[in-house]
């Protein structure tokens, strides 16, 4: 990845984190883990401040790759902690014996050719490929999950980085990431945040532009959830959620027409949503309490049934 692309990725993810902090958004992991972002934003900002530009760029790449692969945020925490231990989050052209790159992967151990390992995208995807092949990896302590992939001579060393890795992932995604296990809501909203500022185009499904239902469809796909393409069909996909019980990750529908609602957005909390409004505007955050509000659905709950 060239320097310009890396810099753009870092900038995008900082926009995601600090926009989320400004809105005070919160999300629940589905268990007992609930994080009010505003209460701990200073902690996460401090964690990111510990990293220099190169480290932030590599952390952003690791986290974004997890989202692109549809992995739970726990995978990113494990990967960031591993890279902190192995390379200090730097793409090193050297290491112990023939170890190379972000994760100090070894050509002699079947990780790939040196030029492949020194490609951070290849190295990160290969790490995740081996991680998800570990049985029950989501439930393992970080040290055991990382060791199952890396086979380090000092496996307990990964533990010292878990808190920092957790805070860095929290900062970049704008959520309280559950320590164990996955987080579909985080993947949905992180995808939506990453599209802020992109133009509206009727019929567009990304990555350069979106219409309203193209954005919601792609955001749900980022969490491994398939929903219909158009707003009216997404409304029928359900299940319906009574007003006042909506949560981050739910869909908000507007402007009832003959076939169903004509507009849809993604609830992010605090009465706000991310949506692609119309051809005069870009993907943005807005209030969803308005006169043409039809109702809410929860596609994540539908997927779980």
């Amino acid at each position: 990845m060239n320097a310009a692309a890396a810099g753009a990725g870092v900038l995008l993810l900082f926009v995601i984190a600090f926009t989320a902090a400004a809105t005070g958004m919160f999300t629940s992991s589905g268990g007992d883990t609930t994080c009010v972002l505003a209460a701990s934003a200073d902690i996460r900002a401090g964690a990111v401040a510990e990293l220099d530009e190169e480290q932030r760029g590599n952390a952003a790449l690791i986290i974004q790759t997890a989202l692109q692969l549809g992995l739970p945020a726990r995978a990113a925490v494990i990967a960031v902690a591993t890279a902190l231990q192995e390379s200090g989050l730097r793409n090193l052209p050297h290491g112990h014996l023939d170890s190379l790159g972000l994760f100090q992967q070894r050509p002699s151990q079947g990780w790939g050719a040196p030029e492949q390992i020194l490609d951070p995208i290849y190295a990160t995807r290969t790490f995740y490929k081996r991680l998800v092949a570990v049985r029950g990896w989501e439930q393992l302590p970080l040290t055991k999950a990382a060791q199952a992939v890396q086979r380090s001579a000092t496996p307990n060393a990964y533990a010292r980085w878990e808190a920092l890795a957790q805070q860095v992932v929290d900062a970049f995604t704008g959520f309280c990431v559950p320590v164990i296990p996955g987080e579909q809501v985080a993947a949905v909203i992180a995808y939506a945040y990453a599209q802020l500022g992109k133009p509206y185009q009727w019929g567009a499904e990304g990555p350069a532009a979106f219409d309203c239902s193209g954005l919601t469809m792609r955001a749900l796909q980022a969490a491994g959830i398939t929903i219909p393409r158009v707003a009216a069909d997404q409304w029928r996909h359900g299940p319906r959620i009574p007003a006042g019980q909506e949560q981050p990750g739910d869909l908000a529908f507007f402007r009832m027409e003959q076939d169903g609602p004509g507009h849809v957005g993604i609830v992010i909390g605090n009465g706000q949503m991310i949506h692609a409004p119309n051809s005069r505007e870009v993907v943005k955050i807005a209030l969803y309490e308005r006169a043409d509000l039809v109702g809410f659905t929860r596609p994540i709950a539908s997927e779980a049934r």
Side-chain angles (χ1 to χ4, degrees):
M1 183 168 66
N2 61 38
V10 174
L11 177 61
L12 171 63
L13 283 165
F14 272 118
V15 169
I16 293 170
F18 289 112
T19 301
T23 62
M25 182 182 65
F26 69 92
T27 186
S28 169
S29 69
D32 295 330
T33 304
T34 301
C35 177
V36 179
L37 184 63
S40 54
D42 56 334
I43 297 175
R44 289 195 293 276
V48 175
E50 292 185 28
L51 308 179
D52 61 27
E53 183 176 356
E54 178 186 1
Q55 291 172 311
R56 289 194 297 268
N58 288 326
L61 183 147
I62 290 169
I63 296 162
Q64 185 66 23
T65 300
L67 294 175
Q68 290 171 345
L69 293 174
L71 295 176
R74 177 63 175 170
V77 174
I78 295 169
V80 170
T82 300
L84 280 164
Q85 169 60 25
E86 297 292 350
S87 70
L89 268 175
R90 302 183 190 282
N91 191 30
L92 299 178
H94 54 76
H96 178 65
L97 299 177
D98 59 340
S99 298
L100 298 167
L102 272 178
F103 299 95
Q104 290 292 281
Q105 297 156 339
R106 298 180 60 185
S108 63
Q109 299 297 320
W111 285 94
E115 58 270 22
Q116 290 177 307
I117 294 173
L118 287 171
D119 176 355
I121 296 175
Y122 171 90
T124 302
R125 284 179 169 265
T126 305
F127 177 89
Y128 285 134
K129 181 179 179 180
R130 294 201 180 188
L131 175 65
V132 299
V134 176
R135 184 175 181 180
W137 68 269
E138 302 99 320
Q139 303 296 334
L140 293 176
L142 186 144
T143 52
K144 291 187 177 181
Q147 175 63 4
V149 176
Q150 297 291 110
R151 303 192 182 281
S152 169
T154 56
N156 292 330
Y158 298 115
R160 65 176 291 209
W161 301 107
E162 182 165 9
L164 177 58
Q166 183 79 56
Q167 291 167 9
V168 168
V169 172
D170 286 356
F172 277 132
T173 59
F175 304 106
C176 178
V177 179
V179 176
I180 291 177
E183 176 64 270
Q184 286 181 305
V185 171
V188 170
I189 305 182
Y191 181 92
Y193 265 99
Q195 314 317 314
L196 288 173
K198 292 187 177 181
Y200 177 98
Q201 180 181 326
W202 187 84
E205 302 174 358
F210 295 88
D211 67 9
C212 66
S213 56
L215 174 64
T216 53
M217 182 185 71
R218 292 303 186 199
L220 269 296
Q221 284 180 352
I225 298 169
T226 300
I227 61 173
R229 170 62 179 87
V230 300
D233 290 337
Q234 291 176 3
W235 171 246
R236 289 186 281 271
H237 186 70
R240 309 282 172 82
I241 302 299
Q245 296 182 26
E246 67 274 9
Q247 297 177 3
D250 291 349
L251 300 184
F253 292 85
F254 306 86
R255 206 175 63 244
M256 182 60 79
E257 300 173 354
Q258 183 175 354
D259 294 334
H263 185 65
V264 61
I266 302 166
V267 175
I268 62 172
N270 286 350
Q272 296 180 311
M273 65 177 175
I274 294 176
H275 70 147
N278 54 58
S279 59
R280 300 183 301 277
E281 300 186 73
V282 297
V283 176
K284 68 177 189 177
I285 296 172
L287 296 175
Y288 56 74
E289 289 293 345
R290 58 192 220 191
D292 62 345
L293 176 64
V294 175
F296 305 91
T297 68
R298 186 165 297 159
I300 291 176
S302 179
E303 184 77 8
R305 289 186 303 180

